Amino acid sequence: MTSLLPYGRQSVTDDDVAAVVAALRSDWLTTGPEVAAFEAELSRWAGGAGVAVVSNGTAALHVAYAAAGVGPGDEVIVPPMTFVATASSAVALGARVVFADVEEETFTLDPAAVAAATTGRTAVVAAVDYAGHPADYDALRAAVAGSDALLLADAAHSIGATYRGRPVGSLADLTTFSFFPTKNLTTAEGGAVATGDPELLTRARRFRTVGLVRERDELRWPDEGGWHQEVHAFGLNYRLPDVLCALGRSQLRRLDAFLRRRAELVARYDEALADLPGVLTPGRRDWASPAWHLYPIRVLDGRRREVYDAMRAAGIGVQVNYLPVHWHPAFADLGYRRGSCPVAEGFYAQQLSLPLFPGLRDSDQERVVDALAAALRRPVWPGPPRPAGVPVRPVT
Ligand SMILES: *Cc1c(COP(=O)(O)O)cnc(C)c1O
């Protein structure tokens, strides 16, 4: 049996390993100089925004919402076409999540749906740069104009992308990144919050570090002694260690090359699939320069499940990104209903992510395209609808 070709995979070189080993041998395993250096280098990718690195992308969302002051009584608007953490991290702070539908074509948050969902209780509108394609930030900004809501970009997929020439990280009031192994660069586990607002940055840094305040002019009891630090607002320990920041810095040197290879693979998929009946390739807008994290196709005629099963059986690790977030039982149990976001839900029914990562070889990609074409050539299941849970057998 051949091993499964994954849908995403890290790229780790000897230079990365050497950087980690050097950090391990240094005086600082955590809270040391690699942290500040990684934050400064990420800031350059984020158009100069201040950056706080954290332990993962979910923590980054939790930190960003906390910095925005999200709490009980607040509403946070989120698209359902995302990883569950975009929404669940706001729930963790006591907020009510309001799902707003996505746009056809890019499946990013629809500014018209945001305008309709915004109320006096809306604290944050969280857009997601689905697959690495930026949301329409100028239109989202206009949609929340006149409310006090902050704009957040969940850029877990899109570090390195630009919107109308401006880099992701500089488009929203708060931006979050993830450095999980399948993302555009990795620190194994890791994430970051970027913001151009110094006050939000301070609040983010404090929440990340258990809420500790050390600045003398802000201490309530400044003469307690040299050891003294205080907690003014509760936080958690979401620090990213130096060992992982060293890996991130080494990876960042290759981010341009990673994005170039991803774009090349996307162009090859676009070309190979353009005339394949039964699938649609991902759309893009002319104002976006995406940083492709996923290659999300749409499988038509109700055949997504069948094509997923056939490709998995052929050793191709296709994935579905994502189950609409409000379908998760935890949200269903809170009263969220299917049918409320028809564009996202219709997309989910067709969506399939094909393997995409910098180390994917041209020959692997050709195997993916052949397996997809073979899956689609099979006759549609004959007779009555297939019972749920019964896999389609190859027709030979
Ligand atoms: C990966 C991801 C996250 C969470 O990041 P982790 O590092 O896995 O915690 C959040 N939002 C989106 C859109 C993601 O893809």
Side-chain angles (χ1 to χ4, degrees):
M1 195 194 134
T2 52
S3 66
L4 195 74
L5 182 69
Y7 85 97
R9 195 196 139 80
Q10 71 277 14
S11 166
V12 172
T13 61
D14 290 348
D15 282 350
D16 292 338
V17 172
V20 169
V21 169
L24 275 169
R25 294 209 166 108
S26 78
D27 289 339
W28 299 92
L29 296 184
T30 190
T31 73
E34 291 292 328
V35 177
F38 188 32
E39 288 178 342
E41 288 164 18
L42 284 167
S43 169
R44 267 175 248 141
W45 281 91
V51 173
V53 292
V54 295
S55 19
N56 55 68
T58 305
L61 287 158
H62 196 193
V63 166
Y65 288 133
V70 167
D74 288 332
E75 292 174 356
V76 172
I77 296 178
V78 176
M81 189 42 56
T82 184
F83 181 59
V84 64
T86 316
S88 58
S89 51
V91 176
L93 288 161
R96 193 172 88 83
V97 169
V98 176
F99 291 100
D101 212 348
V102 293
E103 292 190 271
E104 288 284 359
E105 191 78 7
T106 63
F107 304 99
T108 57
L109 189 58
D110 181 351
V114 168
T118 301
T119 72
R121 293 179 299 279
T122 307
V124 174
V125 172
V128 177
D129 296 340
Y130 178 78
H133 188 297
D136 191 350
Y137 286 97
D138 286 350
L140 288 169
R141 188 65 82 181
V144 297
S147 91
D148 293 332
L150 294 181
L151 193 55
L152 181 145
D154 179 344
H157 299 181
S158 62
I159 188 166
T162 61
Y163 169 83
R164 299 188 190 280
R166 284 133 55 197
V168 162
S170 69
L171 304 166
D173 299 303
L174 290 150
T175 302
T176 62
F177 298 114
S178 165
F179 309 132
F180 188 73
T182 55
K183 303 289 166 70
N184 292 351
L185 78 148
T186 191
T187 59
E189 295 281 358
V193 178
T195 175
D197 180 333
E199 213 167 296
L200 289 174
L201 184 63
T202 299
R203 289 161 65 108
R205 290 226 160 102
R206 285 189 182 159
F207 191 84
R208 168 189 70 180
T209 317
V210 200
L212 291 168
V213 175
R214 304 170 205 276
E215 294 79 0
R216 184 177 165 81
D217 59 336
E218 291 186 50
L219 294 175
R220 191 165 303 172
W221 296 296
D223 299 320
E224 182 67 19
W227 60 86
H228 184 62
Q229 47 189 355
E230 299 174 349
V231 169
H232 296 182
F234 297 114
L236 291 166
N237 176 358
Y238 278 155
R239 289 185 297 252
L240 188 65
D242 283 57
V243 177
L244 300 185
C245 289
L247 176 56
R249 293 181 69 199
S250 182
Q251 288 263 309
L252 215 42
R253 280 181 213 118
R254 301 204 307 291
L255 181 54
D256 258 327
F258 289 159
L259 297 179
R260 270 200 306 279
R261 177 58 180 160
R262 284 175 176 276
E264 194 174 272
L265 289 163
V266 163
R268 285 170 49 90
Y269 271 138
D270 283 349
E271 199 188 321
L273 304 181
D275 300 321
L276 187 66
V279 297
L280 297 176
T281 57
R284 71 209 63 182
R285 308 292 295 278
D286 56 11
W287 38 252
S289 175
W292 292 109
H293 159 60
L294 299 174
Y295 190 80
I297 63 164
R298 280 181 274 171
V299 182
L300 307 178
D301 310 316
R303 302 188 71 189
R304 192 272 309 276
R305 167 90 180 253
E306 177 196 334
V307 169
Y308 172 94
D309 289 340
M311 291 188 77
R312 283 270 172 161
I316 310 294
V318 287
Q319 184 64 281
V320 171
N321 304 95
Y322 295 92
L323 183 78
V325 173
H326 58 298
W327 288 20
H328 280 278
F331 282 104
D333 291 350
L334 291 172
Y336 293 87
R337 293 279 164 264
R338 292 185 182 211
S340 58
C341 293
V343 180
E345 293 172 43
F347 178 62
Y348 163 70
Q350 301 179 327
Q351 198 276 343
L352 193 69
S353 299
L354 302 184
L356 182 67
F357 53 93
L360 186 70
R361 290 173 304 202
D362 289 359
S363 57
D364 291 328
Q365 191 182 28
E366 282 148 23
R367 196 152 65 83
V368 174
V369 171
D370 289 347
L372 175 61
L376 288 164
R377 264 199 306 275
R378 282 195 189 129
V380 176
W381 182 263
R386 176 162 57 95
V390 177
V392 172
R393 303 267 165 244
V395 181
T396 47

mmCIF file of all heavy atoms in Angstrom, residues 80-119:
data_model
loop_
_atom_site.group_PDB
_atom_site.id
_atom_site.type_symbol
_atom_site.label_atom_id
_atom_site.label_comp_id
_atom_site.label_asym_id
_atom_site.label_seq_id
_atom_site.Cartn_x
_atom_site.Cartn_y
_atom_site.Cartn_z
ATOM 1 N N PRO A 80 -19.288 31.458 8.335
ATOM 2 C CA PRO A 80 -19.266 30.035 8.706
ATOM 3 C C PRO A 80 -18.226 29.225 7.938
ATOM 4 O O PRO A 80 -17.924 28.110 8.345
ATOM 5 C CB PRO A 80 -20.679 29.552 8.366
ATOM 6 C CG PRO A 80 -21.237 30.533 7.421
ATOM 7 C CD PRO A 80 -20.492 31.812 7.553
ATOM 8 N N MET A 81 -17.695 29.786 6.842
ATOM 9 C CA MET A 81 -16.723 29.027 6.046
ATOM 10 C C MET A 81 -15.315 29.289 6.582
ATOM 11 O O MET A 81 -14.537 30.052 6.026
ATOM 12 C CB MET A 81 -16.853 29.421 4.557
ATOM 13 C CG MET A 81 -16.051 28.536 3.596
ATOM 14 S SD MET A 81 -16.069 26.758 3.912
ATOM 15 C CE MET A 81 -17.819 26.351 3.905
ATOM 16 N N THR A 82 -15.015 28.640 7.711
ATOM 17 C CA THR A 82 -13.728 28.808 8.378
ATOM 18 C C THR A 82 -13.514 27.654 9.331
ATOM 19 O O THR A 82 -14.414 26.846 9.569
ATOM 20 C CB THR A 82 -13.656 30.155 9.138
ATOM 21 O OG1 THR A 82 -12.335 30.311 9.699
ATOM 22 C CG2 THR A 82 -14.677 30.222 10.271
ATOM 23 N N PHE A 83 -12.302 27.585 9.879
ATOM 24 C CA PHE A 83 -12.024 26.649 10.967
ATOM 25 C C PHE A 83 -12.779 27.148 12.202
ATOM 26 O O PHE A 83 -12.888 28.357 12.432
ATOM 27 C CB PHE A 83 -10.509 26.615 11.214
ATOM 28 C CG PHE A 83 -10.100 25.672 12.304
ATOM 29 C CD1 PHE A 83 -10.397 24.318 12.218
ATOM 30 C CD2 PHE A 83 -9.413 26.131 13.407
ATOM 31 C CE1 PHE A 83 -10.015 23.445 13.233
ATOM 32 C CE2 PHE A 83 -9.026 25.267 14.415
ATOM 33 C CZ PHE A 83 -9.328 23.922 14.328
ATOM 34 N N VAL A 84 -13.282 26.204 12.990
ATOM 35 C CA VAL A 84 -14.185 26.517 14.095
ATOM 36 C C VAL A 84 -13.609 27.546 15.081
ATOM 37 O O VAL A 84 -14.351 28.305 15.712
ATOM 38 C CB VAL A 84 -14.601 25.205 14.806
ATOM 39 C CG1 VAL A 84 -13.392 24.520 15.440
ATOM 40 C CG2 VAL A 84 -15.699 25.433 15.824
ATOM 41 N N ALA A 85 -12.282 27.631 15.178
ATOM 42 C CA ALA A 85 -11.658 28.505 16.177
ATOM 43 C C ALA A 85 -11.975 29.985 15.960
ATOM 44 O O ALA A 85 -11.991 30.758 16.925
ATOM 45 C CB ALA A 85 -10.138 28.304 16.185
ATOM 46 N N THR A 86 -12.227 30.402 14.724
ATOM 47 C CA THR A 86 -12.564 31.811 14.468
ATOM 48 C C THR A 86 -13.774 32.213 15.308
ATOM 49 O O THR A 86 -13.865 33.339 15.798
ATOM 50 C CB THR A 86 -12.877 32.039 12.968
ATOM 51 O OG1 THR A 86 -11.919 31.359 12.173
ATOM 52 C CG2 THR A 86 -12.864 33.517 12.619
ATOM 53 N N ALA A 87 -14.712 31.262 15.477
ATOM 54 C CA ALA A 87 -15.932 31.532 16.239
ATOM 55 C C ALA A 87 -15.802 31.105 17.700
ATOM 56 O O ALA A 87 -16.184 31.845 18.617
ATOM 57 C CB ALA A 87 -17.106 30.802 15.584
ATOM 58 N N SER A 88 -15.235 29.919 17.942
ATOM 59 C CA SER A 88 -15.261 29.362 19.300
ATOM 60 C C SER A 88 -14.406 30.182 20.267
ATOM 61 O O SER A 88 -14.703 30.242 21.463
ATOM 62 C CB SER A 88 -14.806 27.903 19.289
ATOM 63 O OG SER A 88 -13.523 27.772 18.752
ATOM 64 N N SER A 89 -13.362 30.825 19.761
ATOM 65 C CA SER A 89 -12.511 31.637 20.648
ATOM 66 C C SER A 89 -13.261 32.880 21.143
ATOM 67 O O SER A 89 -12.965 33.394 22.227
ATOM 68 C CB SER A 89 -11.212 32.028 19.934
ATOM 69 O OG SER A 89 -11.497 32.590 18.677
ATOM 70 N N ALA A 90 -14.251 33.353 20.370
ATOM 71 C CA ALA A 90 -15.092 34.474 20.845
ATOM 72 C C ALA A 90 -16.102 33.970 21.872
ATOM 73 O O ALA A 90 -16.398 34.668 22.856
ATOM 74 C CB ALA A 90 -15.792 35.145 19.662
ATOM 75 N N VAL A 91 -16.618 32.767 21.648
ATOM 76 C CA VAL A 91 -17.543 32.164 22.619
ATOM 77 C C VAL A 91 -16.829 31.989 23.968
ATOM 78 O O VAL A 91 -17.423 32.198 25.025
ATOM 79 C CB VAL A 91 -18.070 30.797 22.109
ATOM 80 C CG1 VAL A 91 -18.958 30.133 23.156
ATOM 81 C CG2 VAL A 91 -18.837 30.971 20.805
ATOM 82 N N ALA A 92 -15.549 31.630 23.908
ATOM 83 C CA ALA A 92 -14.773 31.410 25.137
ATOM 84 C C ALA A 92 -14.707 32.672 26.000
ATOM 85 O O ALA A 92 -14.492 32.581 27.207
ATOM 86 C CB ALA A 92 -13.364 30.933 24.783
ATOM 87 N N LEU A 93 -14.902 33.842 25.382
ATOM 88 C CA LEU A 93 -14.892 35.108 26.131
ATOM 89 C C LEU A 93 -16.306 35.542 26.522
ATOM 90 O O LEU A 93 -16.494 36.631 27.077
ATOM 91 C CB LEU A 93 -14.217 36.200 25.299
ATOM 92 C CG LEU A 93 -12.699 36.036 25.162
ATOM 93 C CD1 LEU A 93 -12.168 36.849 23.979
ATOM 94 C CD2 LEU A 93 -11.984 36.454 26.441
ATOM 95 N N GLY A 94 -17.300 34.706 26.218
ATOM 96 C CA GLY A 94 -18.673 35.015 26.635
ATOM 97 C C GLY A 94 -19.482 35.763 25.606
ATOM 98 O O GLY A 94 -20.614 36.159 25.875
ATOM 99 N N ALA A 95 -18.902 35.978 24.411
ATOM 100 C CA ALA A 95 -19.629 36.722 23.370
ATOM 101 C C ALA A 95 -20.628 35.814 22.652
ATOM 102 O O ALA A 95 -20.528 34.595 22.703
ATOM 103 C CB ALA A 95 -18.645 37.294 22.356
ATOM 104 N N ARG A 96 -21.591 36.440 21.968
ATOM 105 C CA ARG A 96 -22.504 35.712 21.102
ATOM 106 C C ARG A 96 -22.000 35.846 19.675
ATOM 107 O O ARG A 96 -21.742 36.956 19.200
ATOM 108 C CB ARG A 96 -23.906 36.306 21.203
ATOM 109 C CG ARG A 96 -24.980 35.424 20.592
ATOM 110 C CD ARG A 96 -26.365 35.967 20.890
ATOM 111 N NE ARG A 96 -26.789 36.935 19.887
ATOM 112 C CZ ARG A 96 -27.344 36.602 18.709
ATOM 113 N NH1 ARG A 96 -27.515 35.339 18.396
ATOM 114 N NH2 ARG A 96 -27.699 37.537 17.853
ATOM 115 N N VAL A 97 -21.834 34.691 19.014
ATOM 116 C CA VAL A 97 -21.388 34.708 17.624
ATOM 117 C C VAL A 97 -22.596 34.871 16.706
ATOM 118 O O VAL A 97 -23.619 34.221 16.908
ATOM 119 C CB VAL A 97 -20.620 33.411 17.286
ATOM 120 C CG1 VAL A 97 -20.374 33.287 15.788
ATOM 121 C CG2 VAL A 97 -19.288 33.378 18.042
ATOM 122 N N VAL A 98 -22.456 35.773 15.731
ATOM 123 C CA VAL A 98 -23.487 35.964 14.702
ATOM 124 C C VAL A 98 -22.853 35.560 13.374
ATOM 125 O O VAL A 98 -21.842 36.146 12.966
ATOM 126 C CB VAL A 98 -23.950 37.436 14.659
ATOM 127 C CG1 VAL A 98 -24.948 37.662 13.523
ATOM 128 C CG2 VAL A 98 -24.550 37.846 16.005
ATOM 129 N N PHE A 99 -23.416 34.544 12.733
ATOM 130 C CA PHE A 99 -22.848 34.097 11.465
ATOM 131 C C PHE A 99 -23.417 34.917 10.314
ATOM 132 O O PHE A 99 -24.630 35.081 10.197
ATOM 133 C CB PHE A 99 -23.119 32.605 11.250
ATOM 134 C CG PHE A 99 -22.341 31.737 12.200
ATOM 135 C CD1 PHE A 99 -22.949 31.209 13.338
ATOM 136 C CD2 PHE A 99 -20.992 31.501 11.996
ATOM 137 C CE1 PHE A 99 -22.223 30.431 14.237
ATOM 138 C CE2 PHE A 99 -20.254 30.732 12.896
ATOM 139 C CZ PHE A 99 -20.878 30.194 14.013
ATOM 140 N N ALA A 100 -22.513 35.452 9.495
ATOM 141 C CA ALA A 100 -22.912 36.185 8.285
ATOM 142 C C ALA A 100 -22.363 35.407 7.088
ATOM 143 O O ALA A 100 -21.243 34.878 7.147
ATOM 144 C CB ALA A 100 -22.357 37.606 8.317
ATOM 145 N N ASP A 101 -23.136 35.334 6.030
ATOM 146 C CA ASP A 101 -22.786 34.475 4.892
ATOM 147 C C ASP A 101 -21.586 35.031 4.112
ATOM 148 O O ASP A 101 -21.145 36.164 4.333
ATOM 149 C CB ASP A 101 -23.999 34.300 3.975
ATOM 150 C CG ASP A 101 -24.015 32.934 3.283
ATOM 151 O OD1 ASP A 101 -22.990 32.226 3.326
ATOM 152 O OD2 ASP A 101 -25.067 32.580 2.701
ATOM 153 N N VAL A 102 -21.081 34.188 3.218
ATOM 154 C CA VAL A 102 -19.909 34.532 2.409
ATOM 155 C C VAL A 102 -20.340 34.887 0.991
ATOM 156 O O VAL A 102 -21.481 34.624 0.590
ATOM 157 C CB VAL A 102 -18.898 33.359 2.395
ATOM 158 C CG1 VAL A 102 -18.311 33.165 3.779
ATOM 159 C CG2 VAL A 102 -19.546 32.070 1.889
ATOM 160 N N GLU A 103 -19.398 35.461 0.234
ATOM 161 C CA GLU A 103 -19.652 35.836 -1.160
ATOM 162 C C GLU A 103 -19.412 34.633 -2.063
ATOM 163 O O GLU A 103 -18.514 33.832 -1.809
ATOM 164 C CB GLU A 103 -18.655 36.918 -1.606
ATOM 165 C CG GLU A 103 -18.828 38.245 -0.936
ATOM 166 C CD GLU A 103 -17.963 39.302 -1.624
ATOM 167 O OE1 GLU A 103 -16.797 39.463 -1.238
ATOM 168 O OE2 GLU A 103 -18.472 39.950 -2.554
ATOM 169 N N GLU A 104 -20.192 34.532 -3.140
ATOM 170 C CA GLU A 104 -19.883 33.593 -4.207
ATOM 171 C C GLU A 104 -18.512 33.981 -4.763
ATOM 172 O O GLU A 104 -18.105 35.121 -4.665
ATOM 173 C CB GLU A 104 -20.922 33.697 -5.338
ATOM 174 C CG GLU A 104 -22.282 33.140 -4.979
ATOM 175 C CD GLU A 104 -22.334 31.600 -4.985
ATOM 176 O OE1 GLU A 104 -21.307 30.952 -5.285
ATOM 177 O OE2 GLU A 104 -23.399 31.072 -4.666
ATOM 178 N N GLU A 105 -17.825 32.999 -5.329
ATOM 179 C CA GLU A 105 -16.556 33.262 -6.019
ATOM 180 C C GLU A 105 -15.361 33.126 -5.076
ATOM 181 O O GLU A 105 -14.479 32.313 -5.310
ATOM 182 C CB GLU A 105 -16.560 34.646 -6.687
ATOM 183 C CG GLU A 105 -15.406 34.905 -7.644
ATOM 184 C CD GLU A 105 -15.635 34.211 -8.996
ATOM 185 O OE1 GLU A 105 -16.713 33.652 -9.226
ATOM 186 O OE2 GLU A 105 -14.682 34.215 -9.809
ATOM 187 N N THR A 106 -15.317 33.917 -3.970
ATOM 188 C CA THR A 106 -14.153 33.815 -3.073
ATOM 189 C C THR A 106 -14.501 33.118 -1.763
ATOM 190 O O THR A 106 -13.610 32.695 -1.042
ATOM 191 C CB THR A 106 -13.598 35.205 -2.715
ATOM 192 O OG1 THR A 106 -14.617 35.931 -2.003
ATOM 193 C CG2 THR A 106 -13.187 35.978 -3.957
ATOM 194 N N PHE A 107 -15.784 33.050 -1.420
ATOM 195 C CA PHE A 107 -16.252 32.421 -0.179
ATOM 196 C C PHE A 107 -15.646 33.069 1.061
ATOM 197 O O PHE A 107 -15.450 32.440 2.095
ATOM 198 C CB PHE A 107 -16.077 30.889 -0.257
ATOM 199 C CG PHE A 107 -16.809 30.386 -1.470
ATOM 200 C CD1 PHE A 107 -16.127 30.128 -2.654
ATOM 201 C CD2 PHE A 107 -18.189 30.309 -1.470
ATOM 202 C CE1 PHE A 107 -16.815 29.763 -3.806
ATOM 203 C CE2 PHE A 107 -18.892 29.944 -2.617
ATOM 204 C CZ PHE A 107 -18.199 29.669 -3.784
ATOM 205 N N THR A 108 -15.370 34.383 0.927
ATOM 206 C CA THR A 108 -14.977 35.214 2.072
ATOM 207 C C THR A 108 -16.198 36.023 2.512
ATOM 208 O O THR A 108 -17.184 36.140 1.764
ATOM 209 C CB THR A 108 -13.818 36.160 1.688
ATOM 210 O OG1 THR A 108 -14.235 36.952 0.573
ATOM 211 C CG2 THR A 108 -12.559 35.378 1.324
ATOM 212 N N LEU A 109 -16.106 36.578 3.715
ATOM 213 C CA LEU A 109 -17.226 37.274 4.354
ATOM 214 C C LEU A 109 -17.858 38.317 3.419
ATOM 215 O O LEU A 109 -17.160 39.157 2.844
ATOM 216 C CB LEU A 109 -16.695 37.941 5.632
ATOM 217 C CG LEU A 109 -17.714 38.556 6.589
ATOM 218 C CD1 LEU A 109 -18.735 37.532 7.061
ATOM 219 C CD2 LEU A 109 -16.975 39.158 7.792
ATOM 220 N N ASP A 110 -19.198 38.264 3.299
ATOM 221 C CA ASP A 110 -19.939 39.138 2.391
ATOM 222 C C ASP A 110 -20.240 40.469 3.089
ATOM 223 O O ASP A 110 -20.962 40.497 4.082
ATOM 224 C CB ASP A 110 -21.241 38.423 2.001
ATOM 225 C CG ASP A 110 -22.087 39.234 1.031
ATOM 226 O OD1 ASP A 110 -21.771 40.419 0.782
ATOM 227 O OD2 ASP A 110 -23.074 38.672 0.526
ATOM 228 N N PRO A 111 -19.699 41.585 2.583
ATOM 229 C CA PRO A 111 -19.920 42.882 3.235
ATOM 230 C C PRO A 111 -21.409 43.233 3.393
ATOM 231 O O PRO A 111 -21.792 43.841 4.392
ATOM 232 C CB PRO A 111 -19.221 43.878 2.306
ATOM 233 C CG PRO A 111 -18.176 43.071 1.620
ATOM 234 C CD PRO A 111 -18.773 41.708 1.433
ATOM 235 N N ALA A 112 -22.255 42.835 2.433
ATOM 236 C CA ALA A 112 -23.692 43.127 2.541
ATOM 237 C C ALA A 112 -24.296 42.349 3.708
ATOM 238 O O ALA A 112 -25.139 42.878 4.452
ATOM 239 C CB ALA A 112 -24.391 42.769 1.231
ATOM 240 N N ALA A 113 -23.870 41.113 3.894
ATOM 241 C CA ALA A 113 -24.367 40.299 5.020
ATOM 242 C C ALA A 113 -23.891 40.895 6.348
ATOM 243 O O ALA A 113 -24.623 40.873 7.347
ATOM 244 C CB ALA A 113 -23.887 38.857 4.878
ATOM 245 N N VAL A 114 -22.672 41.446 6.350
ATOM 246 C CA VAL A 114 -22.155 42.093 7.559
ATOM 247 C C VAL A 114 -22.986 43.329 7.901
ATOM 248 O O VAL A 114 -23.389 43.529 9.059
ATOM 249 C CB VAL A 114 -20.666 42.474 7.385
ATOM 250 C CG1 VAL A 114 -20.194 43.392 8.509
ATOM 251 C CG2 VAL A 114 -19.812 41.218 7.324
ATOM 252 N N ALA A 115 -23.264 44.140 6.890
ATOM 253 C CA ALA A 115 -24.063 45.360 7.121
ATOM 254 C C ALA A 115 -25.417 44.991 7.720
ATOM 255 O O ALA A 115 -25.899 45.648 8.652
ATOM 256 C CB ALA A 115 -24.222 46.135 5.818
ATOM 257 N N ALA A 116 -26.016 43.908 7.212
ATOM 258 C CA ALA A 116 -27.338 43.492 7.694
ATOM 259 C C ALA A 116 -27.270 42.936 9.119
ATOM 260 O O ALA A 116 -28.241 43.030 9.864
ATOM 261 C CB ALA A 116 -27.922 42.441 6.751
ATOM 262 N N ALA A 117 -26.116 42.353 9.504
ATOM 263 C CA ALA A 117 -26.009 41.678 10.812
ATOM 264 C C ALA A 117 -25.479 42.602 11.907
ATOM 265 O O ALA A 117 -25.527 42.251 13.091
ATOM 266 C CB ALA A 117 -25.096 40.453 10.676
ATOM 267 N N THR A 118 -24.932 43.767 11.525
ATOM 268 C CA THR A 118 -24.322 44.655 12.517
ATOM 269 C C THR A 118 -25.390 45.319 13.384
ATOM 270 O O THR A 118 -26.391 45.816 12.875
ATOM 271 C CB THR A 118 -23.463 45.724 11.807
ATOM 272 O OG1 THR A 118 -22.459 45.060 11.032
ATOM 273 C CG2 THR A 118 -22.756 46.635 12.817
ATOM 274 N N THR A 119 -25.157 45.297 14.702
ATOM 275 C CA THR A 119 -26.065 45.954 15.649
ATOM 276 C C THR A 119 -25.217 46.826 16.593
ATOM 277 O O THR A 119 -23.987 46.853 16.477
ATOM 278 C CB THR A 119 -26.823 44.929 16.520
ATOM 279 O OG1 THR A 119 -25.899 44.361 17.462
ATOM 280 C CG2 THR A 119 -27.451 43.821 15.691
#
